[in-house]
Amino acid sequence: MPLRFLCRSIAAVLALLLAWPAAAQSATAGEIVATCVAPVHASDRAAAMLRPPMRFDCTTPQIAFGAGDYWVRARSVPTGAGAAPRVLRSWSVWQRAATLYFGYADGVVIRRTIDDVGAARSIALGAVFEQPIPVRGVPVTQLLWHVRGAANIRGIVANARIATPAESVKRNLVFATLYGGFGGLCLALLVYNLSLWSALRHRFQLAYCGMVSALAVYAFSSSGAMAWLWPELGNLARLRVNYVALALAAAMALYFARHFFESRVFGSRTLLAARAVGLYLVATAAAFALLAPWQARVLDLFYSLGFVALTLLAGVILVRAWREGSNYLWVFGVAWAAPFLLAAIRTMSSLHLIASSTWLDNSTLAAMTLEALVSSVAISYRIRLLSIERDAARAQELVARMLADTDPLTDLLNRRSFLREALVAGARTPQLLVLADVDHFKRVNDTLGHDLGDEVLRRVAAALRTTAPAGSLVSRIGGEEFAVLAPADTRGLPDRILDAVRATRMPYDLTITVSVGSHAGVLDHEGDWATMYRMADQALYAAKTAGRDRARGAALSIAA
């Protein structure tokens, strides 16, 4: 596929990715709540923190504060909260516990404490914390979070919003469609590729199944469904699984690429780099899962750098595939353009080079859905080419075997293949071996030349092939000597061979005859063949001695 088509396809993928944010943002529920942050002091009390925000920083980005305990206060509260049903939503982030304070216009403050298990129970689809705001018929005028043990990787209270129940339901339906469709796609791809693997056993099929399985676990954890099924594990356990699943999916993607492309694409250095990046991703994910919250931001940074390396390596692989003229470059490039580009964008977000967003957090699933659909075609295309290569190899092998087993002049079996097939045939039933030798063949060569002599041999071979019973073996075993092996109960074969050669029109209307010797017996092993051949050869000698152009059996030759 031309490189121009690949570039156009990648441009189309980019256009789809640029169109995705608008669709995803339609699933963002509610009015955004601007927040201010203050570190927790030992003497702090919630009542004091609800008074005018003297200590709160409203300009510094949350991630600049580092890990620790914080007060987070809403700068203003959207109208309607508290007086009518509303839900408070924010991104799921790493925190040990949080206490929410709802301050009402009449001075009442309602407190709600959420620990790790409580956070898991409050997860909505898309891994969003969702808490209903208590309704008292009086509007909420103040919102305060007391966050404890914040790792502050993506923020302390990130993307806080207040939404109506209808907006929340709409958002959950959108993400239910996204995650449900992706889960069904993963299941279909696993069944499809495992079925193909059971028949074809290509390594890239298993690698692809491993990648799809890891992505299914990633979607299961990042959607929040894992917290629904096992809330007792807590939200932090869900986040640990999320890190490990995404790293495993990336490592399996590298393994898939290694076996999807031709071996020439991965040189020794590229192969070493692929192994190193895959191991690094898995190791940093495991380190985060085991050690966080200890140095969680540093561990997350190392983890994100692994995806930087993955993106760079993907570019190297594609360039090498292009230079090596890979047959699979175009399908791989189209399928994986979106995931690799989004991996780069998400890595920039993880490194805080660009702002995070709802669409970006869930773009992995959209990109992998596109990848999965195109990769299904890519894998089918890959298998098709492998089938063509296999069929061509088999055809070449068959031709080579035929050339090795066939006499090039007459297209009959040569001596070696005749002996091999004779031992196979003789193992079933007794056989009749008939030897035929062209009479006075040296005179033909000396008089008319070797070219016409070769033509005589070809016509004798054709006569033998026509006369021999179906399923018998016909061979040129050397010079002007031929052999036929037929079942022992075949009657009159030597005489039919004599008549067939006599009736065959020869060059310059020459009269060509053969002498025939035969012997019947068993062929259980090579020793039997030596015996049978010796007896038939003695019979052939007897026919020659008796005047040629005649047939003799082994018994007659022995008597003579």
Side-chain angles (χ1 to χ4, degrees):
M1 189 65 63
L3 185 61
R4 182 180 301 176
F5 176 79
L6 176 59
C7 295
R8 289 177 178 176
S9 301
I10 293 176
V13 170
L14 280 172
L16 289 174
L17 292 179
L18 292 174
W20 169 253
Q25 289 293 4
S26 67
T28 302
E31 299 180 60
I32 193 165
V33 177
T35 56
C36 304
V37 178
V40 171
H41 295 167
S43 59
D44 287 343
R45 296 293 181 268
M49 301 307 293
L50 283 167
R51 297 190 188 103
M54 301 300 295
R55 282 180 42 210
F56 285 92
D57 186 339
C58 299
T59 57
T60 304
Q62 289 186 6
I63 58 171
F65 286 91
D69 298 345
Y70 293 94
W71 297 100
V72 178
R73 178 171 174 159
R75 298 175 64 177
S76 62
V77 179
T79 57
R86 295 288 189 274
V87 292
L88 178 62
R89 304 169 65 91
S90 61
W91 287 343
S92 169
V93 293
W94 188 289
Q95 54 186 227
R96 188 176 71 254
T99 301
L100 276 67
Y101 296 89
F102 302 95
Y104 292 82
D106 59 1
V108 174
V109 176
I110 294 178
R111 183 180 68 177
R112 183 172 294 166
T113 299
I114 306 169
D115 60 6
D116 188 33
V117 173
R121 295 183 188 278
S122 68
I123 288 286
L125 277 176
V128 172
F129 292 144
E130 184 173 284
Q131 285 290 325
I133 298 176
V135 177
R136 296 186 59 251
V138 178
V140 171
T141 58
Q142 295 176 311
L143 273 177
L144 179 69
W145 290 262
H146 180 199
V147 178
R148 296 177 290 282
N152 200 6
I153 297 171
R154 300 175 60 209
I156 304 167
V157 175
N159 197 35
R161 293 174 181 269
I162 291 180
T164 65
E167 288 172 329
S168 177
V169 169
K170 178 183 177 182
R171 182 189 187 281
N172 287 334
L173 285 175
V174 170
F175 280 98
T177 302
L178 175 63
Y179 285 108
F182 186 75
L185 181 63
C186 286
L187 180 61
L189 287 173
L190 284 174
V191 172
Y192 168 70
N193 284 283
L194 285 175
S195 299
L196 287 177
W197 177 80
S198 65
L200 302 175
R201 303 289 173 139
H202 295 306
R203 285 188 180 182
F204 66 84
Q205 294 172 291
L206 275 186
Y208 193 77
C209 289
M211 184 193 70
V212 170
S213 299
L215 283 173
V217 174
Y218 171 76
F220 179 62
S221 61
S222 64
S223 68
M226 176 181 171
W228 293 357
L229 290 181
W230 300 293
E232 64 278 2
L233 294 178
N235 187 53
L236 300 185
R238 182 190 67 80
L239 292 174
R240 297 178 200 272
V241 171
N242 215 26
Y243 272 79
V244 173
L246 189 58
L248 285 175
M252 293 307 297
L254 278 177
Y255 189 74
F256 168 75
R258 165 67 183 88
H259 293 287
F260 182 81
F261 282 114
E262 302 91 338
S263 57
R264 66 179 184 274
V265 172
F266 277 77
S268 58
R269 292 183 180 179
T270 308
L271 182 59
L272 181 62
R275 290 173 178 171
V277 170
L279 289 173
Y280 179 86
L281 284 167
V282 174
T284 53
F288 186 94
L290 294 173
L291 301 178
W294 178 80
Q295 297 295 327
R297 295 186 67 170
V298 175
L299 294 173
D300 180 76
L301 174 61
F302 287 146
Y303 179 79
S304 299
L305 291 176
F307 284 90
V308 173
L310 174 66
T311 305
L312 294 175
L313 180 60
V316 171
I317 293 171
L318 291 176
V319 169
R320 282 191 59 85
W322 173 62
R323 287 181 175 177
E324 295 293 335
S326 171
N327 293 320
Y328 314 124
L329 172 61
W330 72 274
V331 287
F332 188 89
V334 172
W336 286 89
F340 282 137
L341 288 172
L342 279 170
I345 296 172
R346 287 201 63 180
T347 301
M348 293 173 67
S349 174
S350 298
L351 296 173
H352 309 298
L353 299 177
I354 60 174
S356 186
S357 64
T358 300
W359 84 266
L360 188 57
D361 283 350
N362 293 279
S363 60
T364 299
L365 298 185
M368 291 311 300
T369 298
L370 177 63
E371 182 280 327
L373 293 174
V374 180
S375 283
S376 298
V377 178
I379 289 175
S380 299
Y381 177 74
R382 175 77 161 90
I383 292 172
R384 172 60 179 160
L385 290 186
L386 286 173
S387 299
I388 294 174
E389 293 171 2
R390 179 199 61 195
D391 292 344
R394 286 180 175 176
Q396 291 176 356
E397 180 184 1
L398 182 60
V399 170
R401 185 176 298 173
M402 290 180 63
L403 290 175
D405 292 346
T406 304
D407 173 60
L409 178 63
T410 62
D411 287 335
L412 299 178
L413 295 175
N414 58 29
R415 185 183 187 92
R416 180 184 59 187
S417 58
F418 179 74
L419 174 58
R420 183 184 66 243
E421 297 298 328
L423 292 175
V424 174
R428 296 191 294 268
T429 57
Q431 300 291 311
L432 173 68
L433 176 63
V434 179
L435 299 181
D437 188 87
V438 179
D439 295 328
H440 303 297
F441 184 70
K442 186 176 184 301
R443 186 185 305 169
V444 174
N445 270 341
D446 292 344
T447 304
L448 301 176
H450 288 280
D451 289 342
L452 284 177
D454 289 345
E455 181 60 25
V456 168
L457 293 178
R458 280 191 285 268
R459 297 191 184 188
V460 170
L464 292 176
R465 189 184 293 112
T466 303
T467 307
S472 59
L473 303 176
V474 184
S475 168
R476 179 190 177 199
I477 58 177
E480 66 271 22
E481 187 176 352
F482 298 85
V484 178
L485 189 73
D489 57 1
T490 304
R491 298 188 179 279
L493 180 58
D495 291 330
R496 293 203 303 273
I497 289 174
L498 290 173
D499 293 339
V501 174
R502 291 171 188 149
T504 299
R505 185 174 181 179
M506 296 293 174
Y508 295 106
D509 291 328
L510 290 174
T511 299
I512 298 296
T513 61
V514 294
S515 298
V516 177
S518 62
H519 177 69
V522 295
L523 286 173
D524 289 337
H525 48 76
E526 291 191 22
D528 293 335
W529 160 259
T531 300
M532 180 179 286
Y533 182 82
R534 185 176 66 255
M535 299 298 289
D537 190 56
Q538 290 177 0
L540 174 63
Y541 180 75
K544 291 279 189 182
T545 303
R548 295 181 172 83
D549 189 22
R550 65 199 65 211
R552 293 289 184 267
L556 292 177
S557 66
I558 295 172

